[in-house]
Amino acid sequence: MAHAARVLWPSGRALAWRLGGRPSLRLPEQSRAGFTGAAGGPGPTATTRKGGPRLLGAAALALGGALGLYHTVRWHLRAQDLRAERTAAQLLLSSRLQLTLYQYKTCPFCSKVRAFLDFHALPYQVVEVNPVRRAEIKFSSYRKVPILLAQEGDSLQQLNDSSVIISALKTYLVSGQPLEDIVTYYPPMKAVNEQGKEVTEFCNKYWLMLDEKEAQRMYGGKEARTEEMKWRQWADDWLVHLISPNVYRTPAEALASFDYIVKEGNFGTVEGAMAKYMGAAAMYLISKRLKSRHHLQDDVREDLYEAANKWVAAVGKDRPFMGGQKPNLADLAVYGVLRVMEGLEAFEDLMRHTHIQPWYLRVEKAIAEAVQ
């Protein structure tokens, strides 16, 4: 059941999208002489006093609408240009690579990889791994998911770890280096975690291996690159650890979570029945240990809400995504992690009690448009 504990979900949602906007305009004040008639009578300028403000207001309204339309059209054209640039690289990649993703559908790390692949419109096949037997990945000494097999000509590369998969493929898209060479930039390293268990870590996994010109073209500056890496790591080191304590928070939530896991996962009939009830009970108890290990609040929802609002604050109000006009790797990572809770009480609470929904729907829309 420990392997089933990694699994959690996606579902469709209605999209809300608001484009453009009308900038506020401040008109210069008219001099008093412009509205004052000759002494002793209304004179011609009295007519100006009645009609002038209306004409100016109409002009301001027309100008504001025109500017709003201009910015909306400009945004759409820019988005089309970005899609065109991305499509050219994707066509080149898809003609040279065959991708197979081994996953648990409801695993947040696997969801991150799917978000990346879908946003970049990269075709891939999915193999759903049985969380108990894991026979589908018996070929691999690395026993976690996601695993991505990438066939490039006669060369078959196995990429392990969600962040390595994303960084390696993005490096390939941007630089065009052979994937066989890129994989060597992310060597595995054995380490011992806080519980004394030996684990495999990967060096450089948040880095894209680009030269100076490629990095400048992609990021525009060092600050954007550093910001993206920081929040990608935050999604792995903090956000993902808030999922299990929240979706297994109560016995009812744990049962609902495993009901979905069994329906979406690759379980046999007996395995599914055992996983649903025994797994739910086990994960309810384990979630309490996770709460203590990660020093979460008594109400773990508060940690989830704080994380979501912290992310929204980092994105800010002046850009739709952390990546600017399109999602970057941090946007896709945070979205992929949160998406696994869709359909659950924790997800509905998250949307209701934080400011994250507009950003979340924008990313969802961007991915949906990419796969069309």
Side-chain angles (χ1 to χ4, degrees):
M1 295 308 166
H3 299 296
R6 284 172 57 87
V7 287
L8 282 165
W9 34 107
S11 68
R13 288 185 62 85
L15 300 179
W17 189 249
R18 183 176 181 180
L19 297 175
R22 181 174 298 145
S24 61
L25 297 173
R26 183 173 181 180
L27 298 174
E29 295 182 2
Q30 300 291 333
S31 68
R32 297 177 66 87
F35 292 108
T36 305
T45 52
T47 304
T48 305
R49 185 186 300 128
K50 292 179 69 175
R54 282 199 292 266
L55 289 173
L56 287 172
L61 183 63
L63 180 58
L67 285 173
L69 179 61
Y70 164 75
H71 286 295
T72 300
V73 171
R74 182 184 178 190
W75 191 94
H76 279 296
L77 291 175
R78 176 58 179 155
Q80 289 176 356
D81 289 342
L82 291 170
R83 283 195 292 270
E85 293 170 8
R86 191 169 67 238
T87 300
Q90 290 159 5
L91 288 174
L92 176 62
L93 175 64
S94 62
S95 67
R96 294 165 59 182
L97 284 186
Q98 293 180 335
L99 304 176
T100 303
L101 177 64
Y102 293 80
Q103 67 157 20
Y104 305 144
K105 183 177 180 181
T106 53
C107 162
F109 297 103
C110 300
S111 180
K112 279 172 48 186
V113 174
R114 291 199 313 273
F116 171 85
L117 295 173
D118 290 341
F119 177 70
H120 291 84
L122 300 176
Y124 60 99
Q125 294 182 332
V126 170
V127 176
E128 192 69 22
V129 176
N130 181 291
V132 179
R133 297 189 304 271
R134 293 182 289 170
E136 295 80 6
I137 56 173
K138 63 182 179 181
F139 63 84
S140 173
S141 59
Y142 183 81
R143 302 298 290 168
K144 296 180 180 180
V145 293
I147 294 173
L148 186 76
L149 293 186
Q151 182 83 39
E152 183 182 21
D154 295 331
S155 175
L156 178 64
Q157 301 299 319
Q158 177 176 328
L159 284 75
N160 306 320
D161 185 273
S162 61
S163 292
V164 170
I165 292 170
I166 291 168
S167 293
L169 286 182
K170 188 65 176 180
T171 297
Y172 180 80
L173 277 172
V174 176
S175 71
Q177 301 173 61
L179 190 61
E180 185 176 7
D181 293 343
I182 293 173
V183 172
T184 64
Y185 302 150
Y186 305 98
M189 179 179 64
K190 296 294 183 181
V192 178
N193 64 15
E194 295 178 355
Q195 289 73 47
K197 181 180 178 181
E198 186 179 82
V199 295
T200 301
E201 295 291 346
F202 293 86
C203 300
N204 310 318
K205 65 181 180 179
Y206 300 109
W207 273 95
L208 302 190
M209 300 305 174
L210 308 174
D211 64 28
E212 187 174 341
K213 290 183 178 179
E214 291 163 348
Q216 180 65 28
R217 186 172 70 248
M218 179 171 175
Y219 293 107
K222 293 181 180 179
E223 295 80 6
R225 187 177 197 174
T226 301
E227 180 182 54
E228 180 185 75
M229 293 172 61
K230 169 188 172 181
W231 289 98
R232 287 180 67 193
Q233 185 170 359
W234 175 82
D236 286 352
D237 291 350
W238 179 245
L239 184 63
V240 75
H241 296 298
L242 301 179
I243 304 301
S244 291
N246 273 278
V247 300
Y248 303 126
R249 185 180 62 154
T250 66
E253 287 182 276
L255 188 61
S257 297
F258 264 87
D259 182 58
Y260 185 86
I261 290 170
V262 169
K263 288 178 181 177
E264 296 294 330
N266 181 12
F267 289 90
T269 304
V270 176
E271 287 175 338
M274 292 179 62
K276 179 177 178 179
Y277 295 101
M278 295 178 62
M283 285 310 302
Y284 169 70
L285 297 175
I286 291 173
S287 69
K288 305 307 176 185
R289 295 212 313 251
L290 294 174
K291 173 182 171 181
S292 175
R293 179 188 302 174
H294 298 294
H295 308 290
L296 303 183
Q297 301 178 53
D298 290 338
D299 184 357
V300 293
R301 282 289 198 274
E302 294 302 321
D303 294 286
L304 184 63
Y305 298 159
E306 287 178 9
N309 286 330
K310 182 177 182 180
W311 166 255
V312 172
V315 174
K317 298 180 180 179
D318 298 329
R319 52 184 179 176
F321 308 104
M322 180 166 283
Q325 293 304 315
K326 64 175 181 177
N328 67 7
L329 300 184
D331 287 292
L332 296 174
V334 173
Y335 171 83
V337 170
L338 295 178
R339 178 171 61 175
V340 299
M341 296 191 297
E342 282 194 16
L344 295 183
E345 183 179 337
F347 184 82
E348 298 304 321
D349 287 346
L350 178 67
M351 295 295 111
R352 187 181 305 115
H353 296 294
T354 72
H355 304 295
I356 203 168
Q357 186 175 42
W359 167 86
Y360 187 90
L361 293 176
R362 286 195 294 269
V363 179
E364 188 173 64
K365 179 181 176 68
I367 293 175
E369 289 179 345
V371 298
Q372 287 179 351

